[in-house]
Amino acid sequence: MLKLMRAPSKYVQGKDALLELYDHVNDLGKSFLFICSKSGFKAAKPKIEKSFDGKDAKIMFEVFGGISSTGEIAKMQKIAKDNHIDVICAIGGGSAIDTAKATAYYEKLPVVIIPTVCATDAPCTGLSVIYHDDGTFSNYIFYPKNPDAVIVDSSIIVNAPVRFLTAGMGDALGTYFEARMCLKTNSPSLENGGITKSAMALCELCYDTLLENGYKAKKAAEQKVLTPAVEAIIEANTYLSGVGADNGGLATSHSVYNGFTALEECEKTMHGELVAFGTLAQLVLENAPMEEVEEVMDFCVSVGLPVTLAEVGVTDKTRVMTAAEKACAPGESIHNMLGDVTPEQLYHAILAADAIGMEYLGK
Ligand SMILES: [Zn+2]
């Protein structure tokens, strides 16, 4: 397997970054379609209009339906065609981003990602999750390249609800441990390549950045103030986690997330929160040293990420086997673990992780 490294062509981050949007994207075309979430539209539109004011470029905004579904993508493709759009832009969270990436791919246009929350690592990756119009999972699309530009306005991110930032830290927490396992077992990355030293370095930096800045960033974000720690966490959640996972691969943490989507009691739990709990299950499965388990637990508790089943919404433990079975379905990234993991082994690891977490919380 050849080693492979991919990333967005350009990454820009900082206070009021959107005021300079035109300068960073004008090389891509003359007419821009912004596919927006409702809240993203409100947060970003005034700054984007200001940035494009008086410039030789056309901009239009479309608020999309809320899920990255086949129907929604077809609708955006038509708008892009009818208006002779040169560049597709996403404004919002994971769904707006996935809709825009797919629209751009089918229309063979460049794509610019403007996240307005950093709850997941979607902005920098080269793939999308696509749903049917009724909201059920349809398929993944793996793109030949990562986004042309990712522009992160930290002022907008820090004004979003803090839970998004924390969930993003949970998604980023899995990155190092999942990549470390893929490297150990010679499993391919999400881009189906061998894992480079560069990718591993980013994954390690991702974890170190979380440990060093997570708590400080959460406290600052609660006050809606922008500090170096908040900037560090935005970069970890968005760039390090996205490029790290893309080029480092996934293992148990993300399969646990997929498994728990089978339980309706977990519906309100965010992706990154389940990935964090899944990381604890992975550490139990690989029998990681206790110091490492404690380091991860300390981090989770300090920023408010779940360490028990109750915190992810599960009160009836007999339900966990259903999630474990789904997490171990063929094709799941849990099969990148050393040895093969059976649903029963994962079930046991989850219960053990829960027991450690309960004691940790003093329950
Ligand atoms: Zn994720």
Side-chain angles (χ1 to χ4, degrees), residues 5-156:
M5 187 73 193
R6 292 177 29 168
S9 309
K10 186 188 279 185
Y11 180 82
V12 179
Q13 177 192 316
K15 181 177 182 288
D16 294 324
L18 282 186
L19 291 176
E20 295 173 32
L21 179 65
Y22 174 81
D23 303 330
H24 292 296
V25 299
N26 71 67
D27 58 312
L28 297 172
K30 290 266 179 232
S31 59
F32 295 76
L33 169 62
F34 292 90
I35 299 176
C36 317
S37 70
K38 260 195 210 124
S39 57
F41 176 76
K42 270 199 220 121
K45 187 173 175 248
K47 285 183 179 181
I48 293 174
E49 284 179 334
K50 212 168 174 184
S51 167
F52 276 80
D53 189 36
K55 302 292 191 314
D56 175 27
K58 196 180 81 176
I59 54 174
M60 68 181 289
F61 295 87
E62 276 295 324
V63 174
F64 86 119
I67 48 170
S68 50
S69 67
T70 37
E72 209 49 58
I73 293 161
K75 191 175 133 199
M76 292 302 155
Q77 279 185 262
K78 186 170 177 335
I79 294 171
K81 262 195 208 90
D82 291 350
N83 294 280
H84 308 289
I85 293 295
D86 297 331
V87 186
I88 305 289
C89 307
I91 301 182
S95 304
I97 291 169
D98 282 344
T99 304
K101 280 180 183 172
T103 305
Y105 171 64
Y106 290 129
E107 291 302 308
K108 299 189 172 53
L109 296 174
V111 65
V112 175
I113 310 291
I114 301 163
T116 52
V117 293
C118 64
T120 71
D121 59 18
C124 290
T125 64
L127 62 109
S128 287
V129 191
I130 305 298
Y131 298 89
H132 295 294
D133 291 327
D134 65 2
T136 58
F137 173 77
S138 166
N139 61 293
Y140 290 98
I141 309 179
F142 292 91
Y143 303 114
K145 63 183 179 68
N146 294 47
D148 295 272
V150 176
I151 315 287
V152 192
D153 189 318
S154 309
S155 327
I156 290 178

Side-chain angles (χ1 to χ4, degrees), residues 121 171 254 271:
D121 59 18
D171 200 17
H254 273 79
H271 170 80

Side-chain angles (χ1 to χ4, degrees), residues 4 10 43 87 113 132 160 181 187 203 217 238 247 249 257 267 270 273 283 319 332 339:
L4 173 69
K10 186 188 279 185
V87 186
I113 310 291
H132 295 294
M181 183 52 69
S187 302
C203 294
T238 310
N247 298 286
Y257 162 74
E267 250 167 31
M270 296 182 73
E273 293 168 338
L283 292 175
R319 305 266 294 149
E332 271 296 337

Side-chain angles (χ1 to χ4, degrees), residues 308-351:
T308 63
L309 282 168
E311 288 173 293
V312 296
V314 180
T315 45
D316 175 3
K317 286 183 191 166
T318 61
R319 305 266 294 149
V320 174
M321 194 60 191
T322 309
E325 275 166 3
K326 189 170 182 210
C328 294
E332 271 296 337
S333 55
I334 196 168
H335 302 297
N336 291 341
M337 296 291 286
L338 199 56
D340 205 15
V341 179
T342 63
E344 194 186 24
Q345 285 169 328
L346 177 60
Y347 172 69
H348 289 167
I350 290 171
L351 293 192

